[in-house]
């Protein structure tokens, strides 16, 4: 807990509890409301949690949001000081024209660590050729010695909080890491590229390509047939950003031709993946059911409580979404 936030959080609310409206499913309400209230109490903030219908619109101070909640019209909540998302992705709410309140996405230690572990684990799986022995189980003595990490190049698309952390972890293992983002970032020991003009260069270096980009109008189908053809032949793709990053048909074609050796996908255009989708049966596709960077209740509750404490003390909110960028 931030001591400065704890000392200053009771700015002007000593006379009443703040009201948290949970725009979530009933199941998520059961999971999250008590941990968030407990985290606020540790910051000396008195709060009460409600679902839609339990509190007058004008009395709502903060809205805790997750996809699937019943509120789609945020206009009546004119006194709400912020909408705080439980998820990192905000593409399903950021374009809502009724949302005039500040919107904050989730970036917390649990989510960051989970993503780093998923990316590192599947990068090493691809790099070491583990599927050959674990999944295919050849019946003959076949020794395929992998290159060292220093001889393997990895490109990460997206150098935000999660991408930068994953890139740093791969650097520590010795991989030659290139990072690409919309605007130039700096990550120690990572070759950082930016802008559409440098995307071909980033893809050309991607023996293993990691997708960690948010969904924006510019990133939908970013990896189409033309750009998949820029990858080194036989490359591996890991996507844990958003399912719309890759054109599904183009990926299947690239797998069939051998341009892409294998794809491990944690995110999809439709979730769960429909039963008849070719991803289920394609031997080159591993389906990871959106588990790469799940929001953990304990760490997320601390993040939400910290942001509310900041707002109550007049401190700028963390992880504020830029509506012009959609993230």
């Amino acid at each position: 807990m931030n001591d400065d936030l704890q000392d200053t959080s009771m700015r002007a609310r000593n006379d009443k509890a703040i009201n948290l409206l949970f725009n979530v499913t009933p199941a998520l309400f059961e999971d999250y409301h008590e941990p968030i209230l407990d985290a606020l109490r540790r910051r000396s903030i008195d709060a009460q949690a409600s679902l839609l219908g339990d509190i007058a619109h004008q009395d709502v101070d903060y809205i805790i949001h997750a996809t699937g909640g019943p509120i789609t019209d945020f206009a009546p909540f004119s006194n709400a000081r912020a909408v705080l998302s439980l998820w990192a992705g905000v593409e399903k709410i950021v374009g809502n024209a009724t949302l005039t309140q500040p919107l904050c996405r989730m970036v917390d230690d649990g989510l960051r660590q989970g993503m780093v572990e998923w990316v590192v684990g599947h990068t090493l799986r691809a790099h070491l050729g583990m599927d050959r022995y674990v999944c295919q189980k050849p019946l003959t003595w076949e020794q395929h010695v992998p290159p060292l990490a220093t001889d393997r190049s990895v490109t990460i698309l997206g150098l935000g909080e999660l991408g930068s952390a994953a890139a740093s972890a791969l650097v520590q293992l010795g991989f030659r890491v290139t990072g690409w983002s919309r605007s130039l970032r700096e990550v120690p020991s990572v070759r950082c590229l930016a802008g559409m003009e440098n995307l071909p260069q980033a893809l050309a270096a991607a023996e293993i390509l990691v997708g960690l980009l948010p969904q924006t109008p510019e990133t939908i189908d970013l990896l189409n047939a033309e750009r998949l053809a820029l990858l080194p032949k036989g490359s591996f793709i890991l996507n844990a950003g958003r399912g719309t990053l890759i054109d599904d048909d183009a990926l299947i074609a690239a797998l069939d031709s051998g341009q892409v050796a294998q794809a491990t996908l944690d995110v999809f255009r439709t979730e769960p993946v429909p039963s008849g989708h070719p991803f289920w049966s394609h031997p080159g596709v591993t389906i990871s059911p959106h588990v790469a960077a799940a929001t953990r209740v304990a760490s997320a509750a601390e993040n939400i409580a910290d942001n509310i404490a900041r707002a109550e003390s007049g401190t700028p909110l963390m992880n504020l979404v830029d509506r012009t960028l959609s993230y």
Side-chain angles (χ1 to χ4, degrees):
M1 183 192 310
N2 187 311
D3 292 337
D4 292 336
L5 292 180
Q6 184 178 16
D7 293 340
T8 61
S9 61
M10 291 305 293
R11 176 179 56 84
R13 303 273 184 173
N14 292 319
D15 57 332
K16 71 178 185 70
I18 62 173
N19 293 310
L20 310 181
L21 177 63
F22 280 70
N23 184 36
V24 300
T25 63
L28 285 177
F29 180 78
E30 290 303 315
D31 289 342
Y32 278 94
H33 80 279
E34 281 298 338
I36 289 175
L37 293 180
D38 287 343
L40 287 168
R41 292 186 194 107
R42 290 193 292 274
R43 291 159 176 77
S44 301
I45 297 177
D46 186 19
Q48 55 191 18
S50 302
L51 286 167
L52 186 63
D54 296 337
I55 184 174
H57 292 165
Q58 67 269 18
D59 293 332
V60 172
D61 295 305
Y62 299 92
I63 298 175
I64 313 300
H65 173 81
T67 302
I71 300 170
T72 58
D73 182 2
F74 293 86
F77 305 97
S78 56
N79 292 331
R81 306 191 64 196
V83 176
L84 308 173
S85 175
L86 291 176
W87 311 147
V90 293
E91 67 275 2
K92 294 184 179 179
I93 184 177
V94 69
N96 189 319
T98 70
L99 181 69
T100 58
Q101 301 86 349
L103 172 65
C104 299
R105 62 191 182 92
M106 177 61 64
V107 177
D108 75 318
D109 291 341
L111 192 152
R112 184 184 300 107
Q113 182 65 22
M115 182 62 82
V116 168
E117 292 178 6
W118 190 92
V119 169
V120 169
H122 285 286
T123 297
L124 287 174
R125 171 183 158 228
H127 169 64
L128 296 174
M130 294 174 69
D131 285 7
R132 178 185 299 274
Y133 302 108
V134 174
C135 301
Q136 298 168 8
K137 295 184 179 179
L139 298 179
T140 58
W141 185 266
E142 299 178 358
Q143 291 182 311
H144 296 273
V145 179
L148 295 174
T150 49
D151 298 321
R152 179 84 75 177
S153 59
V154 180
T155 291
I156 296 181
L157 301 181
L159 287 177
E161 291 275 348
L162 304 183
S164 295
S168 296
L170 292 174
V171 165
Q172 290 298 311
L173 291 171
F175 289 100
R176 293 183 282 114
V177 181
T178 295
W180 180 87
S181 52
R182 183 191 62 84
S183 55
L184 190 61
R185 303 293 183 95
E186 292 186 7
V187 181
S189 301
V190 174
R191 183 179 67 149
C192 296
L193 303 174
M196 294 301 294
E197 67 277 11
N198 287 314
L199 180 58
Q201 186 179 354
L203 294 176
E207 294 177 274
I208 299 174
L209 180 66
V210 182
L212 294 178
L213 287 166
Q215 180 176 311
T216 69
E218 292 74 28
T219 63
I220 294 174
D221 291 331
L222 184 72
L223 296 181
N224 54 22
E226 178 183 357
R227 294 196 177 100
L228 290 174
L230 298 176
L231 298 171
K233 189 173 180 62
S235 60
F236 297 83
I237 291 178
L238 315 176
N239 189 26
R242 282 294 175 262
T244 53
L245 176 69
I246 308 175
D247 181 306
D248 289 2
D249 292 337
L251 177 58
I252 293 293
L255 287 162
D256 289 343
S257 71
Q259 172 64 14
V260 173
Q262 199 274 341
T264 296
L265 309 175
D266 186 66
V267 288
F268 306 88
R269 292 172 184 271
T270 302
E271 297 183 2
V273 180
S275 59
H277 197 288
F279 284 164
W280 284 113
S281 58
H282 199 288
V285 175
T286 296
I287 290 178
S288 170
H290 207 144
V291 295
T295 303
R296 270 74 172 180
V297 173
S299 56
E302 297 296 326
N303 178 283
I304 293 290
D306 266 345
N307 236 357
I308 290 174
R310 294 175 75 89
E312 291 296 294
S313 65
T315 305
L317 292 161
M318 301 182 296
N319 307 316
L320 193 63
V321 173
D322 184 332
R323 309 296 176 85
T324 64
L325 300 178
S326 300
Y327 60 88

